[in-house]
Each structure stands twice: as structure tokens, then as C-alpha cells.
Amino acid sequence: EANPPEPDPLTEGVDWLRTDDDGIKHPLSLRAQASVIVLLRRLDDLGLSEEADRDLAAFAGEFQVTAAKLAGALDGLCCGRGLLSGGYVVACLKRALGHLHKAQAGLENTAARRLLPEDLLAWNRRELFEIREEILRLMQEFRTK
């Protein structure tokens, strides 16, 4: 867009943050995206390829889809919550949650086979859990709107 709408300054830090490249992202979608990048870099550093392992591919791929679904559900809130219906946001968050659950299952399958180092496993479990909790909180918030 030549003149994209400006974000609501009153909701900065709640519904949007400005990224390093001057973009606008919802804090949760930014967190998920950043977590995926950290994961992919660590896998690369460890010489682990998603393509070489089905469970690792499921984990990393579903985590990437989760981040994308969160961006679709939440990044538009920067210009005001009135632009998106609460039901629409909840439906999009439900889709993201489904992918997050698949990512968690893929992660646990890799854990059972000791494919990932314990620190990476623990970090990703915590990230997925905390992202899940925030999705559930947002779903509840948007159900009441």
C-alpha cells in the first residue's frame, strides 16, 4: 500500500510493536516468529535437517505455520480492534492453536528419540507452552468482545 494506515499509538505494546525493520507486528506473533528463527538457526548449527527427519519436520513446520496463523489473526489489530470481529479473531486463534498442538506433538516425538539437546528441547517446550497460554488468554478476551 502506498499509504498504509498508521497504528493506534494508544495500543502500542499491547496490540502492536514496531519491529527492527520498521514493520508492525502483534507481540505474540512477533514472539512466535522470533522463536521459529531461533529454532531454525539452532537446528542449522547442530547440523540437523528438517527434511531428514519426519518428526523434526512436523515440529519445525507446524511451529512456522503457528507463527503465520498468529500473524494473520493478530497483526491487523494494530489499527484498532474494531476492524476485526471478536469471533473472527477467535476462529483464527483456534486454527493457530491446532498447529501449535501439532508442533508440540512433533517436539515430543523428537524428545522420545533424543534427537535434540536437552537445553533446546526445554526451551522449545517452554516457548510452545507460553505461546499456547497467551493464545488461550486472547481467545477468552476476544470471546467477551
Side-chain angles (χ1 to χ4, degrees):
E1 259 182 76
N3 296 315
E6 282 299 310
D8 181 351
L10 298 176
T11 62
E12 184 175 6
V14 175
D15 286 338
W16 66 276
L17 298 169
R18 196 162 300 275
T19 63
D20 292 339
D21 62 354
D22 208 32
I24 305 281
K25 301 282 290 172
H26 186 276
L28 184 60
S29 103
L30 182 61
R31 179 181 183 170
Q33 180 183 41
S35 295
V36 166
I37 291 169
V38 168
L39 168 66
L40 295 176
R41 286 183 180 156
R42 276 296 301 276
L43 292 177
D44 190 49
D45 291 346
L46 293 166
L48 295 171
S49 167
E50 307 168 51
E51 294 83 27
D53 185 84
R54 191 182 81 202
D55 294 326
L56 190 56
F59 163 49
E62 292 294 339
F63 199 179
Q64 291 175 62
V65 173
T66 300
K69 294 289 184 187
L70 288 172
L74 301 170
D75 287 355
L77 295 175
C78 68
C79 295
R81 289 186 174 211
L83 297 177
L84 299 173
S85 77
Y88 173 79
V89 174
V90 170
C92 290
L93 289 172
K94 275 183 164 179
R95 289 183 193 100
L97 190 60
H99 289 284
L100 184 131
H101 289 154
K102 290 176 186 174
Q104 287 175 311
L107 178 62
E108 292 312 315
N109 289 339
T110 64
R113 296 178 24 239
R114 301 189 189 283
L115 189 59
L116 299 175
E118 190 58 40
D119 69 315
L120 184 58
L121 184 64
W123 182 80
N124 278 287
R125 278 180 176 146
R126 185 175 56 253
E127 278 300 291
L128 290 172
F129 177 78
E130 290 176 5
I131 290 169
R132 180 182 182 278
E133 291 300 302
E134 183 61 10
I135 290 171
L136 293 173
R137 186 193 70 74
L138 286 167
M139 286 173 68
Q140 185 60 38
E141 179 181 334
F142 280 92
R143 278 190 180 110
T144 60
K145 295 208 179 274

